[in-house]
Amino acid sequence: RAALGLSLDAYRYWSGELLPVSARKGRRASFTHGDLLALALLKTLTDEIGIPVGRLSATAVALFEQCGKQSWVKFERLVALVSPPDLTPAFVGENQPSHASTASVTIPCAPLIAALRHRLSGDLPSDDQSIFRFPPTVIANERGGRTS
């Protein structure tokens, strides 16, 4: 919930409306990375496009299924296409032309994944060795060449 920026009330509402969310029972429901990407895409559709959550139940099932099949690395180069009237999602390469027969909403996955990674990593340093008191640095030797 926190990784997506959903309030507790919004999460409860989504849980009542979307089958893949309601299937995660328990006090601390757990979600896979694919589930989080699917939820981020759904949140984009509701927040930025204005589609009511209640209209996204079939879309949620399809997104959870599709996002669970591949890693984030594969999705970073894809965009989600959501086409009316049934809001069926499809993923295509970010540089591929869309062959949709109707107008569709295009959502790039890379920015969503970057935001999720940032939120999930929390306060972790970006450079693994920056936590050392004296992290490794490059030093030039007498001849002007570099040594480690």
Side-chain angles (χ1 to χ4, degrees), residues 11 14-16 18-26 29-31 35 64:
Y11 177 77
W14 282 37
S15 184
L18 304 175
L19 182 62
V21 180
S22 65
R24 307 311 196 268
K25 298 286 184 191
S30 60
F31 294 93
D35 296 344
F64 270 73

Side-chain angles (χ1 to χ4, degrees), residues 20 24 32-39 41-42 45 57-76 78-83 86-93 107 109 113:
R24 307 311 196 268
T32 67
H33 286 90
D35 296 344
L36 291 175
L37 177 58
L39 287 167
L41 289 163
L42 291 167
L45 290 170
S57 56
T59 306
V61 171
L63 281 173
F64 270 73
E65 181 181 319
Q66 292 176 22
C67 291
K69 290 181 180 179
Q70 299 181 58
S71 69
W72 277 0
V73 174
K74 302 253 183 188
F75 279 105
E76 283 181 311
L78 299 177
V79 295
L81 295 176
V82 181
S83 302
D86 58 356
L87 303 173
T88 304
F91 290 93
V92 298
I107 306 170
C109 294
I113 291 170

